[in-house]
Amino acid sequence: MRSAPESANVSAGPRPFIRAQTDLQLAAWLNAAGESSYRASQILDWVHKKKAETPHVCTNLPASLRKKLASDFDWTSPSVEIECGSLDGTKKLLLRLRDDRLVETVLIPASPALYGAPSDRLTLCVSTQVGCAYGCRFCASGLMGFTRNLDAGEIVGQVEIARRLAGRRVDNIVFMGMGEPLANYDNLLRATRILNEPWGLGIGARHMTISTSGLAPRIRELAAEPLQIRLAVSLHGATDEVRERIMPVNRRYPISELMDACHEFRARRKQAITFEFILIEGLNDSIEQAELLARLAGPLQAKVNLIPYNTVEGLPWRRPAVPVLKTFLNILKTRGIPATLRLEKGHDIEAACGQLRLKKEMHRGNDKQSAL
Ligand code: SAH
Ligand code: SF4
């Protein structure tokens, strides 16, 4: 099992993010700086509870320590480049990172609420990478290729920005934004810990879901972690033949290997795994696929989330007609599989994975062309 290093590297490269520091790391840094380690909890309180954006506001810390905190750590969070609201209350943010890269974060209220109206629960869909190396044929993030992993501080920073904007706590986190979370394993795990700890954001592990395209060895690794985070597997095909057409990762980890890893995960957890299944017209929406999907989900007691394909500009796929979606759903239900047809939120603001960034980058490309 890998674990995040417990000391902040403050000597090389850009300054580490204060939001990526654990209590032990901060204590080690304080010791090295000749300060008392009890200050760690005061600093974390300022960062996560009082939402300080600079150490200069931390009035119970000595001025000399505030100075060191400013010079050794980056206190910034990503900045909001574009904010769009959807009529159903979903809000999508395009965020700018410190190296000017862009990622997306989506705020999803639980109950349909008009813009600005209160809702009971707030779910946040966060990104874990800039772009994605896995190249799924239906996905806007995959289209643009991989740029880099997000730092744990940038993952936590997305939650920070969202709760500031929403003016309330974030209840659920889904790692379903841009990127493959399990390909950025150490940063992901460190971020989940900071999000979970009482000295951090205090979000229960059961209120966090990691979505993966099916990195089997990493699923096994995750199964051995103490935090009881939920798992969603993007299946999108019930046979290798169909899955391979849209998900190159299936050649590396075919369905049988992926299912073995899911069974291992399931054996160690109380909560059910969720299979995500995008329905694409003429590709994976047949009765046969529905029946085979039920055979995969049944023994695992997995839940199935059916998602009508969200059109991406430049890609050839289409969503099936509503009766086809309903037939698919009913086949699963009659075979005893807990299944839902997700009427995705935020369709009108292009909330599906990577689409807003794709547009923005395309505009950038156009600007460049026209400037030549
Ligand atoms: N890389 C991870 C998590 C990010 S993608 C994964 O693949 O699971 C999050 C979810 O968005 C996945 O289930 C993915 O298949 C889905 N998705 C991507 N493009 C989509 C589209 N155009 N329409 C609907 N869902 C899409
Ligand atoms: Fe990457 Fe997930 Fe998109 Fe596939 S669906 S390209 S794994 S972000």
Side-chain angles (χ1 to χ4, degrees), residues 132 134-136 138-139 141-142 177 179-180 213 353:
C132 182
Y134 286 82
C136 301
F138 49 82
C139 172
S141 300
E180 168 49 53
S213 58
C353 188

Side-chain angles (χ1 to χ4, degrees), residues 159-285:
V159 185
E160 181 53 41
I161 286 296
R163 68 177 185 163
R164 266 185 222 163
L165 263 181
R168 52 160 297 167
R169 66 171 274 125
V170 171
D171 305 288
N172 298 304
I173 311 257
V174 293
F175 294 95
M176 290 187 185
M178 198 182 287
E180 168 49 53
L182 295 186
N184 185 14
Y185 194 82
D186 290 347
N187 282 307
L188 171 78
L189 271 235
R190 189 200 285 213
T192 54
R193 210 184 132 206
I194 294 167
L195 293 171
N196 174 252
E197 289 281 355
W199 50 254
L201 282 90
I203 300 171
R206 287 178 182 79
H207 293 277
M208 295 189 226
T209 303
I210 294 172
S211 176
T212 177
S213 58
L215 309 193
R218 289 289 161 83
I219 291 175
R220 292 180 197 277
E221 225 173 308
L222 190 65
E225 298 287 350
L227 270 188
Q228 297 279 310
I229 299 173
R230 290 175 190 270
L231 181 69
V233 174
S234 293
L235 206 55
H236 312 329
T239 53
D240 286 329
E241 191 265 323
V242 167
R243 199 164 187 262
E244 251 160 46
R245 283 179 62 193
I246 45 170
M247 299 184 75
V249 68
N250 195 74
R251 262 174 257 134
R252 191 120 164 248
Y253 306 115
I255 290 178
S256 59
E257 194 176 335
L258 176 55
M259 289 306 120
D260 285 351
C262 287
H263 277 281
E264 184 173 328
F265 189 93
R266 184 70 180 100
R268 289 179 179 242
R269 299 293 160 105
K270 288 192 196 80
Q271 321 97 352
I273 291 175
T274 301
F275 286 158
E276 307 278 337
F277 204 94
I278 300 179
L279 285 162
I280 302 177
E281 188 181 63
L283 181 98
N284 61 2
D285 58 349

Side-chain angles (χ1 to χ4, degrees), residues 312-328:
V312 177
E313 239 178 83
L315 294 180
W317 316 106
R318 293 203 314 204
R319 59 170 59 185
V322 172
V324 177
L325 300 173
K326 288 194 172 154
T327 306
F328 202 98

Side-chain angles (χ1 to χ4, degrees), residues 13-25:
R15 283 172 305 159
F17 286 102
I18 193 75
R19 282 185 185 75
Q21 306 307 310
T22 64
D23 52 350
L24 293 179
Q25 282 173 317

